[in-house]
Amino acid sequence: LEISDGEALEILKVASSPGSLMDGLDGSNAILQQEQQQQSLNPKDWIVADPQNAWDLLHEERSLMTRLTTSCADLDDILGGGISCKQVTEIGGVPGIGKTQLGIQLAVNVQMPSYCGGLGGKAIYIDTEGSFMGERAQEIAEACVEDISEYKRFLHKDLQACQGEIHGKDVLQNIYFFRICSYTEQIALINYLEEFISDHKDVKIVIIDSVAFHFRQGFEDLALRTRILGEMALKLVKLAKMCSLAVVLLNQVTTRYMEGSFQLSFSLGDSWSRWCTNRIILYWNRNERYAYIDKSPYLRPAAAPYSVTARGIRNSAPHCKRSKLV
């Protein structure tokens, strides 16, 4: 049409406004209004918000940053207190290492009061593999209720009178469970999460177990897969920050030959690794489970032992042996 960028922008703005040309304006008035709007264009109008200095940003991060306990003191210690809110944390490991167990533990722990390391909220659990076990969740929930009761009895006796009792059934009812059977369902659900959480503002954690399962097969166009995963990751990062909640992505691992040896590597490739704020690898060291911080902008690389018990995730015991989960 041989028009300027500014004129094209104004045309698009008018065209995208339903009924804007049908409100009693004839053609000449519409053009006149368009020219007036064009003259008022200012680069400053395009800025979403005023800049913020780094000192205020640091103070805001420290005041708003909350963490969720993993029920393993050693693991919480290397994480700076637990799983961080407003961030995306990816946890990967070999089969049988306890990824799902940790995911269920976090879905239960988020409902604990803040003085017990929880967030006093609810959880969304997205199961893509069919590995979530209701009976196991009940065991962990009942153990959590017992821990809260013991804590209140010995350290916070005054809280026992002012707060109602929590039961295992209540904990399970506060976990919103979604079963996903294809990558299209997974994409659709991620797009729906913002609306769901806006209607359930007490949700404080979103867990996907596992994020890679449906994307490891059926994709011949890897470039398309990378683009879809990038869009999905952007939505999760935005969701974590906007709603001040924790997003935990459980992932599978593969072995890659790097630097003369075979090393564990997260699924979905290097491009996916850029999206998550924190990455934790779960692995075996002889007969003991370990968690290692593989990536974090503020946590130093460190490892901590943990164990999977009948009561859930706990500190590693000296007599802990590698065996099939109870």
Side-chain angles (χ1 to χ4, degrees):
L1 297 178
E2 298 182 354
I3 60 177
S4 67
D5 292 344
E7 292 172 329
L9 173 65
E10 287 306 308
I11 292 173
L12 289 174
K13 289 171 64 177
V14 173
S16 62
S17 301
S20 58
L21 296 178
M22 304 298 293
D23 297 333
L25 294 175
D26 57 21
S28 59
N29 288 337
I31 295 174
L32 178 62
Q33 184 185 47
Q34 208 171 323
E35 292 177 350
Q36 291 174 346
Q37 290 178 348
Q38 182 178 347
Q39 293 174 359
S40 65
L41 283 178
N42 190 318
K44 186 177 179 181
D45 297 334
W46 292 73
I47 301 177
V48 177
D50 292 330
Q52 185 180 22
N53 65 64
W55 177 256
D56 291 340
L57 180 62
L58 175 62
H59 178 72
E60 179 182 342
E61 289 178 350
R62 287 179 173 177
S63 61
L64 297 179
M65 181 68 71
T66 54
R67 290 180 171 83
L68 172 64
T69 180
T70 63
S71 291
C72 173
D74 294 334
L75 181 53
D76 285 347
D77 185 52
I78 66 172
L79 290 173
I83 301 296
S84 299
C85 288
K86 304 185 72 172
Q87 295 180 354
V88 178
T89 300
E90 185 177 24
I91 302 175
V94 297
I97 196 64
K99 299 186 296 296
T100 298
Q101 304 285 325
L102 180 56
I104 296 175
Q105 184 74 65
L106 293 174
V108 170
N109 288 358
V110 73
Q111 304 176 49
M112 297 168 59
S114 58
Y115 61 83
C116 291
L119 302 176
K122 298 181 180 179
I124 292 177
Y125 200 102
I126 302 172
D127 183 10
T128 67
E129 301 184 18
S131 55
F132 183 90
M133 299 162 286
E135 184 176 351
R136 180 60 177 148
Q138 183 179 16
E139 292 176 353
I140 295 177
E142 290 175 350
C144 179
V145 170
E146 292 176 4
D147 291 341
I148 294 175
S149 299
E150 289 294 322
Y151 193 85
K152 289 195 296 186
R153 182 177 301 114
F154 292 105
L155 299 179
H156 291 270
K157 295 181 180 180
D158 56 319
L159 293 174
Q160 199 162 9
C162 64
Q163 297 195 10
E165 291 295 328
I166 303 176
H167 302 282
K169 179 181 178 182
D170 300 328
V171 175
L172 295 183
Q173 288 178 338
N174 290 333
I175 300 176
Y176 299 113
F177 177 79
F178 294 90
R179 177 71 174 97
I180 299 302
C181 299
S182 67
Y183 69 84
T184 53
E185 289 184 8
Q186 184 170 334
I187 295 170
L189 178 58
I190 298 302
N191 292 334
Y192 171 64
L193 279 182
E194 183 176 343
E195 178 183 345
F196 182 86
I197 294 176
S198 67
D199 294 333
H200 302 80
K201 298 185 183 301
D202 47 2
V203 169
K204 296 299 181 183
I205 189 170
V206 175
I207 303 165
I208 303 181
D209 180 16
S210 68
V211 67
F213 183 73
H214 292 302
F215 289 91
R216 297 187 67 183
Q217 52 189 350
F219 267 97
E220 296 181 359
D221 189 346
L222 295 182
L224 174 62
R225 188 186 79 162
T226 300
R227 186 165 67 251
I228 291 175
L229 286 171
E231 293 174 355
M232 185 176 68
L234 276 174
K235 287 182 171 62
L236 292 172
V237 171
K238 176 185 175 183
L239 195 67
K241 293 183 178 180
M242 181 178 64
C243 302
S244 297
L245 52 80
V247 174
V248 176
L249 308 178
L250 305 182
N251 198 354
Q252 302 166 344
V253 295
T254 58
T255 54
R256 295 176 59 183
Y257 188 77
M258 296 181 297
E259 300 178 357
S261 63
F262 287 97
Q263 300 179 16
L264 291 178
S265 176
F266 285 78
S267 298
L268 300 181
D270 295 334
S271 59
W272 170 258
S273 65
R274 303 186 184 97
W275 293 109
C276 300
T277 311
N278 308 296
R279 306 189 86 187
I280 303 171
I281 294 181
L282 309 180
Y283 63 96
W284 288 103
N285 184 3
R286 296 184 179 179
N287 292 327
E288 197 167 21
R289 292 179 172 89
Y290 273 81
Y292 175 74
I293 299 177
D294 181 62
K295 169 194 171 185
S296 177
Y298 58 92
L299 298 172
R300 64 180 179 85
Y306 70 97
S307 62
V308 179
T309 70
R311 298 177 63 84
I313 304 297
R314 295 293 186 271
N315 282 348
S316 181
H319 60 277
C320 178
K321 297 295 183 180
R322 180 173 182 174
S323 59
K324 185 175 291 188
L325 300 182
V326 179

